Amino acid sequence: MKPVDRHLADILATVRPLAPLEVEIEAALGAVLAEDVASPVPLPPFDNSAMDGYAVRAEDVAAAPVMLPVIGDVAAGDGGLNALGPGLVTRIMTGAPVPTGADAVVPVEWTDGGTARVRIDRPAQPGNAIRRAGEDVRAGDVVLREGVRIGPAQIGILAGVGRRRVLVRPRPRVVVLSTGAELSEPGTPLGAGRIWESNSFMLAAAVREAGAQGFRAGSVTDDPKEFMDTLDAQLVRADAVITSGGVSMGAYEPVKEALSPLGTVTFEKVAMQPGMPQGFGVVGPDRVPIFTLPGNPVSSFVSFVLFVKPALRAMQGLPAGPPATVRATVTAPVRSPAGKRSYLRAVLTGESVAPVTRQGSHQLAALAGANALIVVPEDETSLPEGAEVEVIPL
């Protein structure tokens, strides 16, 4: 059987980052930045007031309480030339430019709020309540580096430095397709011998959680031709394809039957449990990566975590490799078949991890109650309670 690490390495050697494209910043959420972004101006671009109050010379209010004449108002957005002489004050609003000659802002709460004359009850030190030009960003400073995933704060700074468009690696478009003659759409009556299809919903959600775009293509029966027709129709909108089911050793395995003759997809046994039957390769004229995962839901989900999620990161130009792990103490004995790396569903709490009681690859409810996977190495068949283990947080 093929080692888990080698299967992932083969996948990461095949997938490539998506080509960058320029998008409006409103469309950049979740994408990965493909350029360094610098500010053309200092931020703030001018000294401005941090509060509503009065622009003053600090020396004029050092002996507060004092009464001083108010010579005018400066509002946010005021583009005029405002100056302040000795013994005078100007009302000023939050964000408004500080007049020439003023070196402090007295908050309105420290005054009687006068409009012609104002009583100032407390002294203010030079620089009080003033946002200095360039104190956040200097002109020419890089505010975002290539490779950062763009969230709301990143969109905010892009707008703040005047960018309307930005170069990004887009979120991969991933089509998810389930196979099986027994599958029915949720919400429809359940006939004899049928089950409601869940894998494509789960995998499409996992794709979106991984920062890509997930599209369900529903399910097809065990007819290889139907599978290929559906796959061909979906390739026009896919940067990657995930299938579930149809890759085992028995009869009626439509994915393997349809893709094996192409010679571009390899089906292998990987030394892991759950999820031993795996397939990966490329399809179509654009050589779209395709991940053919086993049909049991837990096997499919674990395979996504180990193989698909790192590949999606690589396609976005992000560092990619095996899932991150933490160390924890297992609260009960665990067992694993010889020669396979096991991924046991578990509940991680602090530095302790408790395996769930139902570990069958079909037991989706147990997976839904887990928040971690205990990793049992290939050369271990059992670990006692209290053993320290590697854990993949989900």
Side-chain angles (χ1 to χ4, degrees), residues 238-261:
D239 297 310
V241 176
I242 303 171
T243 68
S244 69
V247 296
S248 295
M249 301 302 294
Y252 307 109
E253 302 295 349
V255 176
K256 183 181 287 189
E257 288 183 45
L259 297 180
S260 290

Side-chain angles (χ1 to χ4, degrees), residues 72-154:
D73 292 349
V74 184
D78 190 324
L81 297 176
N82 296 289
L84 192 65
L88 305 174
V89 304
T90 298
R91 282 207 310 172
I92 193 167
M93 311 308 158
T94 302
V98 175
T100 302
D103 61 1
V105 170
V106 175
V108 69
E109 293 84 359
W110 298 3
T111 76
D112 65 357
T115 56
R117 293 179 64 82
V118 62
R119 189 186 73 244
I120 296 174
D121 296 322
R122 292 173 55 180
Q125 296 299 314
N128 188 70
I130 292 178
R131 303 164 177 159
R132 294 298 184 188
E135 71 175 27
D136 184 14
V137 175
R138 296 169 300 179
D141 279 356
V142 174
V143 294
L144 292 175
R145 294 285 182 186
E146 178 182 358
V148 68
R149 190 184 294 281
I150 298 173
Q154 288 72 35

Side-chain angles (χ1 to χ4, degrees), residues 3-353:
V4 171
D5 296 333
R6 181 147 57 86
H7 189 62
L8 175 59
D10 288 347
I11 290 171
L12 294 180
T14 301
V15 299
R16 294 289 181 266
L18 299 182
L21 74 160
E22 195 175 57
V23 299
E24 296 281 335
I25 59 173
E26 292 95 334
L29 183 67
V32 174
L33 192 62
E35 61 171 322
D36 289 346
V37 175
S39 178
V41 299
L43 296 181
F46 50 84
D47 290 357
N48 67 91
S49 178
M51 305 182 74
D52 292 338
Y54 297 83
V56 302
R57 299 195 324 160
E59 62 186 84
D60 291 338
V61 298
V66 294
M67 184 74 73
L68 297 172
V70 179
I71 62 169
D73 292 349
V74 184
D78 190 324
L81 297 176
N82 296 289
L84 192 65
L88 305 174
V89 304
T90 298
R91 282 207 310 172
I92 193 167
M93 311 308 158
T94 302
V98 175
T100 302
D103 61 1
V105 170
V106 175
V108 69
E109 293 84 359
W110 298 3
T111 76
D112 65 357
T115 56
R117 293 179 64 82
V118 62
R119 189 186 73 244
I120 296 174
D121 296 322
R122 292 173 55 180
Q125 296 299 314
N128 188 70
I130 292 178
R131 303 164 177 159
R132 294 298 184 188
E135 71 175 27
D136 184 14
V137 175
R138 296 169 300 179
D141 279 356
V142 174
V143 294
L144 292 175
R145 294 285 182 186
E146 178 182 358
V148 68
R149 190 184 294 281
I150 298 173
Q154 288 72 35
I155 289 177
I157 191 61
L158 287 169
V161 299
R163 293 294 292 268
R164 186 62 187 164
R165 299 176 65 83
V166 66
L167 192 68
V168 301
R169 295 195 187 275
R171 297 165 61 206
R173 300 165 300 170
V174 183
V175 170
V176 182
L177 176 62
S178 292
T179 66
E182 75 280 16
L183 301 179
S184 294
E185 278 287 303
T188 63
L190 200 60
R194 310 277 290 193
I195 61 172
W196 284 305
E197 196 275 310
S198 59
N199 281 6
S200 69
F201 290 92
M202 174 180 67
L203 292 171
V207 166
R208 290 190 287 270
E209 189 176 62
Q213 301 179 69
F215 303 100
R216 284 188 63 247
S219 62
V220 297
T221 66
D222 291 328
D223 179 1
K225 183 179 184 306
E226 181 189 357
F227 170 78
M228 281 304 296
D229 288 345
T230 303
L231 178 61
D232 287 342
Q234 294 295 327
L235 286 179
V236 296
R237 64 165 177 170
D239 297 310
V241 176
I242 303 171
T243 68
S244 69
V247 296
S248 295
M249 301 302 294
Y252 307 109
E253 302 295 349
V255 176
K256 183 181 287 189
E257 288 183 45
L259 297 180
S260 290
L262 300 181
T264 59
V265 181
T266 302
F267 296 90
E268 301 174 282
K269 293 181 179 179
V270 176
M272 58 185 285
Q273 181 173 295
M276 181 179 68
Q278 295 286 333
F280 173 75
V282 294
V283 290
D286 294 328
R287 298 181 62 80
V288 174
I290 185 168
F291 304 83
T292 64
L293 309 184
N296 277 322
V298 178
S299 301
S300 193
F301 181 79
V302 171
S303 301
F304 179 91
V305 171
L306 298 181
F307 305 128
V308 184
K309 189 173 182 179
L312 293 179
R313 288 183 58 83
M315 293 174 71
Q316 295 171 86
L318 296 170
T325 62
V326 298
R327 303 289 292 180
T329 301
V330 69
T331 62
V334 296
R335 301 185 64 82
S336 176
K340 289 185 179 182
R341 187 180 300 179
S342 286
Y343 297 90
L344 307 177
R345 279 72 70 205
V347 176
L348 177 65
T349 306
E351 297 181 357
S352 298
V353 63

